[in-house]
Amino acid sequence: MLLVTCSVQATASGLRFENAGTYLDDGVYYLDAFARIEIGEEPERALMSGVELHFLIELIVHKKRRWWIDTPVLERRLRHKLYFYELTRHYRVDDLQTGKSSNFRSLSAAVRYLGQINRYALIEAAKIKTSRRYVASINVSLDATRLPAPLAARAMVSRQWNLQSEVFKWSLN
């Protein structure tokens, strides 16, 4: 098993990856990552008022090229939805790819769960040439296009709604 990890902190608007890394197991590169998510007062008030917050995690693996533009060999978007149930006073995180839902009693527990990626099958090792260098990158953002129209317009100009991490990169192999 090969493990490659990086743990540099990159901060931007309340979202930051604290670590991300890949490891090879049974012919597949798997991803483990953790992003610290702090949504801020205004988005939290909207969440408590029934607004769903959609988060987008973008994963890219590039083949590094010496004299030319790097070539993407994998691009994936993982979508999650966070919302609050007033009647039962709990938060829910939906993984929109798998349909899996998880419930939480506190917002801090819900966003901690939202920021964790464990053993995500990223790419088959057969698609990676060992003679080449590959770089993986990940970032997370609040998908403002999924907000209700009045909030979407506000999100375009408000720093509280501009939730996006910096791109976090590490060597895949």
Side-chain angles (χ1 to χ4, degrees):
M1 178 183 338
L2 170 71
L3 173 66
V4 179
T5 188
C6 184
S7 66
V8 175
Q9 290 192 359
T11 61
S13 303
L15 304 180
R16 70 181 178 276
F17 274 93
E18 293 193 345
N19 62 54
T22 50
Y23 59 94
L24 182 60
D25 188 20
D26 267 345
V28 176
Y29 281 95
Y30 289 94
L31 168 69
D32 285 343
F34 178 71
R36 184 161 311 280
I37 298 174
E38 298 168 9
I39 63 172
E41 290 178 27
E42 200 171 317
E44 184 177 345
R45 275 197 307 270
L47 180 66
M48 300 299 285
S49 299
V51 174
E52 297 174 346
L53 300 180
H54 291 257
F55 289 87
L56 176 64
I57 298 171
E58 295 177 293
L59 301 163
I60 301 173
V61 175
H62 283 97
K63 179 171 48 174
K64 295 295 287 181
R65 297 167 87 180
R66 180 177 258 176
W67 306 109
W68 199 248
I69 299 170
D70 295 346
T71 306
V73 293
L74 172 117
E75 294 183 38
R76 294 228 179 109
R77 291 191 167 130
L78 310 178
R79 297 180 184 277
H80 295 84
K81 178 172 63 172
L82 170 64
Y83 51 105
F84 178 70
Y85 281 114
E86 178 64 35
L87 185 61
T88 57
R89 309 280 311 154
H90 76 273
Y91 298 86
R92 185 174 196 140
V93 176
D94 291 343
D95 181 328
L96 300 179
Q97 282 73 239
T98 65
K100 180 183 174 192
S101 298
S102 300
N103 297 313
F104 303 91
R105 286 279 173 211
S106 70
L107 178 58
S108 62
V111 295
R112 191 171 35 256
Y113 174 81
L114 184 63
Q116 291 179 351
I117 300 173
N118 296 313
R119 197 164 168 80
Y120 177 77
L122 188 61
I123 191 168
E124 295 174 11
K127 295 182 179 178
I128 301 294
K129 295 179 184 172
T130 56
S131 62
R132 294 290 206 170
R133 183 170 171 249
Y134 293 84
V135 173
S137 64
I138 188 169
N139 74 320
V140 61
S141 60
L142 176 68
D143 187 354
T145 64
R146 303 293 308 255
L147 293 170
L151 280 179
R154 180 158 174 72
M156 298 299 190
V157 296
S158 171
R159 287 195 308 158
Q160 282 211 11
W161 284 97
N162 185 18
L163 298 174
Q164 183 168 352
S165 72
E166 293 180 10
V167 176
F168 191 97
K169 295 181 179 184
W170 70 98
S171 179
L172 182 68
N173 56 348

